[in-house]
Amino acid sequence: MLTYVASSEQCCTRNLRILVVEDDPNHRKLARQVLEDSGHEVLSAADGEEALALLLIRDFDVVVLDMRMPGMDGREFIRRVRTCGREFADIPIIVMTGYGISQHRELFQRYDIRDFLDKPYDCDNLLDRVGNYQARA
């Protein structure tokens, strides 16, 4: 006999530490709320510089990253993370963008970015993408 388990219950059995990097305060708040409501531990940053600082002092399992931000944008953030030589250089990054992914495809291939969401995104899609990952050791 099969038993239905709500997706939020499935998610809660695999709590992740997630860093949301988003300059728009409303989008940042929404992503954080959706992920926390599913049982994940979430910190957020308003730009790439703040996100890099958090990566240096906290362990995360996944980064959810906006591509267009003032200052250090998503492209530069990805490049710096992947080439830093630190223990978090291979952290999974889920990209969110409202400007299409075709312009970033080469960058994604070069730096092993496999997951992305077009904005505006469906919250269930965000949870599905995050659900593909497990806690890092």
Side-chain angles (χ1 to χ4, degrees):
M1 178 175 155
L2 296 175
T3 304
Y4 175 76
V5 178
S7 61
S8 61
E9 291 176 309
Q10 291 172 339
C11 216
C12 291
T13 63
R14 297 179 51 204
N15 294 344
L16 299 174
R17 297 169 310 237
I18 301 170
L19 174 58
V20 173
V21 188
E22 167 66 68
D23 63 315
D24 182 287
N26 293 323
H27 289 169
R28 189 171 57 244
K29 181 178 179 181
L30 175 63
R32 186 175 184 155
Q33 183 176 4
V34 166
L35 294 167
E36 285 177 341
D37 287 351
S38 293
H40 300 293
E41 178 186 336
V42 182
L43 288 181
S44 59
D47 59 42
E49 289 289 343
E50 184 180 353
L52 280 178
L54 285 170
L55 281 174
L56 289 169
I57 61 171
R58 298 283 306 261
D59 291 327
F60 293 96
D61 301 308
V62 178
V63 173
V64 177
L65 175 70
D66 182 23
M67 287 301 286
R68 292 193 57 158
M69 298 178 288
M72 184 191 305
D73 67 359
R75 293 178 69 88
E76 181 63 14
F77 176 84
I78 290 168
R79 188 190 67 72
R80 286 193 190 184
V81 166
R82 292 295 193 248
T83 61
C84 70
R86 311 257 331 198
E87 64 278 357
F88 56 78
D90 64 344
I91 191 167
I93 299 173
I94 300 170
V95 167
M96 301 181 295
T97 183
Y99 299 94
I101 61 144
S102 60
Q103 63 189 348
H104 305 295
R105 198 164 298 280
E106 180 184 324
L107 175 87
F108 293 169
Q109 290 173 344
R110 185 177 338 134
Y111 293 119
D112 195 29
I113 305 298
R114 292 181 235 148
D115 280 316
F116 52 86
L117 293 166
D118 288 318
K119 286 181 176 179
Y121 59 86
D122 180 279
C123 294
D124 288 334
N125 287 342
L126 174 60
L127 292 173
D128 287 344
R129 294 293 192 290
V130 167
N132 290 329
Y133 298 97
Q134 58 187 342
R136 291 162 56 99

